[in-house]
Amino acid sequence: MNRFFAATIVGVIVSAASMVAAQTTAPAPMIDLTNAPAPLFDDPITHGGTDPFVIWNPGKSEWFMYYTQRRATMANPNGVDWVHGTAIALATSPDGIHWTYAGTCKGDHDLTDPLAAKGAGQEPGVTWWAPCFLWQGNVLHMWVVQVDGVYTNWSGQRNILHFTSDDGVNWKYLSTAALSSTRVIDPTVFRVGDLWYMVYKDESRGSHTFVSQSSDLENWTNAHQAGPDGSQEAPFVFRWRDKWWLIVDGRGLRIYNSDNGIDGFKYITTILADRDGTRERDNNVGHHPGIVIQGPSGNEQCIVYYFTEFNRHAYIQIAELEMGTDGKPFCNRNKYAPATQPSK
């Protein structure tokens, strides 16, 4: 994941800021935002698709979008139990724009059927949230949050579990990451130099962004606060225009940069904080970003997948992060709307 956007891997997704080319046999096509529909994707089962993470699957010659499948249409929800008991769902696309629902991730450790697990909450089952992914050779790695039950409030233990897969659909549990606490969510894994890093939200430490490091993707050490201010979630580190960036969900999508990509992140700007979208189901605050970097080194295009929410229902959207003349990133979510949207 960290090959600094060499021209030979143009179009390969950034998983937490590192450019790991999964395989080279089926290079990723460029994603053309010009006629992207809005909403980009609406989960057809529960209408609760959140926390999108998009990555190219060369073996399938398709873009894969993983997301948390919230139970938004659940009848008679009890507190926030509708945000628990969730599976990790998958949609596929030949172009990163037109998506088809492909079911949920299958695997051991209660991944296949979270509601069938015993769990420790008020209701049966466990919960899966907000995965991240990267390729190492022909193996796809997933780190995903497991809440130990289905709760009606925001309680329970929350850990980040490591799975691997050969096809991106069927998963084998490897380990549970030992991080800064057992109240951690929203991982993103990336590489700087010879080490791997994971950024995540630690709810027991003021919901700050924390970072841990690893030499083998299994054993995580040196947990410390990454530096950003305030309560936030869904941290995603990426390399773009020869700089390291961190984007988080917190009163809009807040953007920071860092000299080393590990810590010392300084606030730069906020995007998607206003309800100014003119596209369908896009006139609300943007949440939980997933980043794709594409294009030639030095002039990469940065694509942001995110979700908006209306009365529990969630909709996945897409926009472009651009660099302003003042050196600050900006995002015009209406750049390709409504004139460029296909007629209905």
Side-chain angles (χ1 to χ4, degrees):
M1 273 184 37
N2 179 337
R3 297 297 178 265
F4 298 98
F5 312 107
T8 55
I9 53 174
V10 168
V12 177
I13 188 160
V14 187
S15 174
S18 329
M19 286 292 291
V20 171
Q23 305 169 20
T24 58
T25 54
M30 295 286 287
I31 299 172
D32 181 6
L33 280 69
T34 305
N35 291 306
L40 184 75
F41 183 75
D42 175 11
D43 175 81
I45 308 302
T46 68
H47 303 288
T50 64
D51 313 334
F53 194 104
V54 176
I55 189 167
W56 177 248
N57 188 321
K60 303 291 187 181
S61 297
E62 289 183 306
W63 291 100
F64 273 29
M65 177 165 63
Y66 299 90
Y67 60 94
T68 305
Q69 192 176 51
R70 288 183 180 176
R71 299 186 292 166
T73 53
M74 178 180 175
N76 302 314
N78 185 7
V80 293
D81 62 352
W82 63 278
V83 188
H84 293 80
T86 48
I88 300 304
L90 171 65
T92 62
S93 170
D95 56 12
I97 295 298
H98 301 96
W99 294 91
T100 301
Y101 180 70
T104 58
C105 291
K106 309 301 180 185
D108 53 8
H109 219 77
D110 299 321
L111 184 67
T112 298
D113 191 354
L115 290 176
K118 183 177 180 180
Q122 297 96 331
E123 304 175 14
V126 296
T127 299
W128 298 102
W129 285 343
C132 77
F133 301 83
L134 66 84
W135 285 100
Q136 277 285 82
N138 295 330
V139 177
L140 185 60
H141 293 255
M142 171 173 69
W143 287 266
V144 59
V145 177
Q146 186 197 62
V147 185
D148 65 353
V150 175
Y151 294 92
T152 60
N153 54 25
W154 300 111
S155 59
Q157 290 195 350
R158 304 174 185 188
N159 288 291
I160 294 172
L161 277 57
H162 184 192
F163 290 79
T164 58
S165 174
D166 295 329
D167 59 8
V169 178
N170 300 287
W171 297 88
K172 179 178 177 57
Y173 169 77
L174 288 187
S175 62
T176 298
L179 302 170
S180 56
S181 79
T182 57
R183 289 279 299 183
V184 292
I185 66 171
D186 299 349
T188 304
V189 177
F190 60 102
R191 187 173 181 176
V192 179
D194 294 329
L195 293 174
W196 298 95
Y197 294 87
M198 181 192 297
V199 285
Y200 51 91
K201 173 187 178 181
D202 189 335
E203 296 182 327
S204 73
R205 309 286 185 90
S207 292
H208 285 285
T209 294
F210 269 65
V211 59
S212 294
Q213 70 181 46
S214 174
S215 59
D216 59 6
L217 296 176
E218 280 295 300
N219 298 290
W220 298 92
T221 62
N222 194 29
H224 61 280
Q225 188 171 321
D229 54 293
S231 172
Q232 52 195 225
E233 59 188 22
F236 197 116
V237 175
F238 59 104
R239 181 85 175 170
W240 176 52
R241 302 293 180 93
D242 298 322
K243 291 184 179 180
W244 288 104
W245 301 91
L246 166 68
I247 186 168
V248 302
D249 185 342
R251 304 178 300 280
L253 304 184
R254 296 170 64 82
I255 299 176
Y256 305 76
N257 67 19
S258 163
D259 292 335
N260 60 18
I262 303 168
D263 51 25
F265 285 96
K266 298 178 181 179
Y267 172 74
I268 304 299
T269 190
T270 299
I271 64 170
L272 300 177
D274 299 318
R275 293 170 173 82
D276 58 353
T278 59
R279 302 182 303 176
E280 184 177 349
R281 295 299 178 180
D282 199 22
N283 59 327
N284 212 335
V285 176
H287 293 289
H288 203 111
I291 300 293
V292 173
I293 302 293
Q294 62 179 11
S297 178
N299 192 35
E300 306 94 354
Q301 183 184 33
C302 182
I303 296 174
V304 185
Y305 291 85
Y306 58 97
F307 77 89
T308 57
E309 191 173 6
F310 302 84
N311 298 321
R312 298 210 311 262
H313 289 208
Y315 303 89
I316 294 173
Q317 306 281 6
I318 191 172
E320 182 179 1
L321 188 67
E322 301 179 79
M323 185 62 70
T325 56
D326 59 357
K328 293 184 178 182
F330 70 95
C331 178
N332 175 10
R333 68 166 85 191
N334 303 317
K335 181 175 180 179
Y336 303 112
T340 62
Q341 298 301 306
S343 59
K344 297 182 179 179

